[in-house]
Amino acid sequence: MKDNLFFLYFDAEPELPVTTVSRDTGIVEFVNDYPKYLSELALKSPTHGAIIKTKNTYISGKGFAPKDNSFVKRCNTSGESLDSVKDKSIHSLLVHGGFFMEVIYGHGGKIVEVRHMENARMRSNEDNTMFYYRKDWQRRIGDIVRIPAFNPYKKATKQILYYKDYNADQGTYTEPEYQQGLNYINADIEVSKHTLNNAKSGFTPSKLINLNNGEPENEDEKKTIERSFKNKFTGSEGIKFLLSFNASKDTAPTIVDLGPSDMTEEDFTAVYKMISQNILTCHQVTSPVLMGIMTPGQLGVSKEMRDAFEIFNNTYVKGRQNDILSVFNVIMQHCMTPEKLKIVPLSPIGFSYSEKTQVENLTNREIRERLGLPPLKMNKQLDALDQLRISSPLLYQRAIELMGGSILSELTN
């Protein structure tokens, strides 16, 4: 029997990771290529993708300090800075819940290179003591490269450092922090698809037309009848009916009202608000304005943004920065130019002060610290003068006049 109708099916459950262990190699492989699926969610969901990018910006801050370290400036033969590797690692952490880095050793067992590795191209054994790289696991493209786990005290040519978020039910691979919001992230994608389909074809059928005088003899005749209906009853707004061919019902066509199916602007607003709020919640975002998501009709967001950033910075950003520093400072500890790093925090829009205001209220040491520069070598007299410049500008000017240029020259030498 020929099909007379086309059906649309909607999967109400989000995709979850499915793995299997190879008996031959011990590799834990994804049956459904879950890492690629998570990457596609970040690309396709407008709200989810925007949150990932904005979070990365807040966590990355103004980069590592100090910046004059040779390894921070260039950490691999591709010419990448350590900040570039850090930004990619943060992105993987936010999308996948963990990240991979390739660590390469040189003469003397010191780390000479480090580079970010895409999660979709990495696999592991069950206990994360051995890792495997392949260009494309699903299509079986490229050779499998076997690389041991990171251990700076057990030297090898190269190793893989795998950082993953803690989970009480931890398996071989980590899960993203937004796992509970996958339904809403998928809904965000589906709503955008629905909007696009409506814009392109207007396909929101409200009528079912049954032709009860039997089915046409062939598909070409069926398509001819369908085209006739389209030409007669549709226009720029698209198809508004479903056409069905039946063999009985006294040969008279019947029209079934499917009811109103077009979502109104109010419907879309309510659905979008619900989806966005739940995505923000699963991302632990305290206010949508931090992510550049504005509420219609909302005014005067400066104070809300300041308060929201303070909460978000203390409850989320600082913790993530500490996670990143815990990894990269281990790398720095074993490289050719060891030095302890820190991340210079980034202030959101609305927090910046003019250069004049900053100079008038910050010491030389504080200004250089904000710029990520090392402090100047200052003797006690100059340090005291700098403090006086902030606390009492008039006394500072008087002191400069009394001291004269020759005495200042001696103090700076």
Side-chain angles (χ1 to χ4, degrees), residues 113 343 352:
E113 286 191 59
I343 296 175
S352 59

Side-chain angles (χ1 to χ4, degrees), residues 183-350:
N183 274 331
Y184 293 99
I185 293 169
N186 278 284
D188 191 36
I189 296 171
E190 293 306 317
V191 166
S192 67
K193 287 181 181 178
H194 178 78
T195 304
L196 177 62
N197 286 334
N198 278 346
K200 292 178 69 174
S201 65
F203 182 66
T204 51
S206 58
K207 304 292 182 184
L208 172 62
I209 302 175
N210 292 292
L211 300 180
N212 300 315
N213 58 344
E215 293 185 44
E217 294 182 358
N218 53 59
E219 288 297 318
D220 290 337
E221 188 177 348
K222 185 184 291 186
K223 289 180 180 178
T224 300
I225 297 173
E226 184 181 353
R227 279 196 299 270
S228 298
F229 271 88
K230 286 181 181 178
N231 294 335
K232 181 75 174 177
F233 298 110
T234 65
S236 61
E237 293 184 357
I239 305 169
K240 296 293 183 180
F241 64 86
L242 289 173
L243 190 62
S244 174
F245 298 94
N246 306 293
S248 60
K249 198 66 176 181
D250 301 327
T251 72
T254 58
I255 300 176
V256 180
D257 192 349
L258 299 179
S261 59
D262 288 339
M263 291 185 71
T264 65
E265 183 179 348
E266 290 76 14
D267 294 332
F268 266 113
T269 300
V271 170
Y272 175 75
K273 184 178 180 180
M274 177 190 67
I275 291 172
S276 297
Q277 184 56 56
N278 279 282
I279 294 176
L280 288 165
T281 300
C282 73
H283 272 289
Q284 305 170 56
V285 176
T286 53
S287 173
V289 295
L290 286 174
M291 304 293 121
I293 302 172
M294 301 296 294
T295 302
Q298 188 175 20
L299 299 174
V301 298
S302 297
K303 184 179 185 303
E304 179 189 344
M305 190 172 189
R306 285 195 297 269
D307 295 341
F309 176 76
E310 188 70 23
I311 297 171
F312 187 60
N313 189 53
N314 289 327
T315 60
Y316 183 84
V317 175
K318 287 182 180 180
R320 278 305 191 194
Q321 289 177 338
N322 289 334
D323 293 338
I324 295 298
L325 287 171
S326 69
V327 174
F328 281 84
N329 273 322
V330 171
I331 297 293
M332 290 298 296
Q333 182 182 347
H334 296 277
C335 76
M336 299 294 289
T337 54
E339 194 162 5
K340 188 172 183 180
L341 301 174
K342 66 177 181 178
I343 296 175
V344 181
L346 180 70
S347 297
I349 298 173

Side-chain angles (χ1 to χ4, degrees), residues 108-123:
K110 294 292 185 180
I111 295 174
V112 294
E113 286 191 59
V114 61
R115 65 183 74 245
H116 172 262
M117 306 291 279
E118 293 182 20
N119 288 54
R121 296 182 176 182
M122 299 301 302
R123 297 293 185 267

Side-chain angles (χ1 to χ4, degrees), residues 371-382:
L371 294 173
L373 299 173
L376 294 174
K377 293 182 179 180
M378 298 176 66
N379 55 39
K380 292 182 179 180
Q381 290 92 335
L382 281 177

Side-chain angles (χ1 to χ4, degrees), residues 25-28 99-103 117-119 121-134 137 144-151 158-164 171-174:
T25 63
I27 301 174
V28 181
F99 60 87
F100 296 87
M101 289 198 300
E102 181 185 50
V103 178
M117 306 291 279
E118 293 182 20
N119 288 54
R121 296 182 176 182
M122 299 301 302
R123 297 293 185 267
S124 172
N125 63 356
E126 289 188 271
D127 60 1
N128 296 146
T129 56
M130 188 63 65
F131 295 93
Y132 306 86
Y133 169 86
R134 195 175 198 177
W137 287 91
I144 297 176
V145 181
R146 189 170 181 265
I147 310 172
F150 176 72
N151 185 345
K158 62 174 67 175
Q159 296 174 341
I160 292 294
L161 191 158
Y162 180 32
Y163 175 87
K164 58 184 183 179
T172 299
Y173 303 109
T174 185

Side-chain angles (χ1 to χ4, degrees), residues 49-61 90 94 177-178 279-280 282-285 290-291 312 316-317 320:
I51 292 172
I52 292 291
K53 291 177 182 178
T54 308
K55 273 185 169 183
N56 197 331
T57 300
Y58 282 132
I59 298 168
S60 296
I90 293 173
L94 295 174
E177 60 187 6
Y178 55 84
I279 294 176
L280 288 165
C282 73
H283 272 289
Q284 305 170 56
V285 176
L290 286 174
M291 304 293 121
F312 187 60
Y316 183 84
V317 175
R320 278 305 191 194

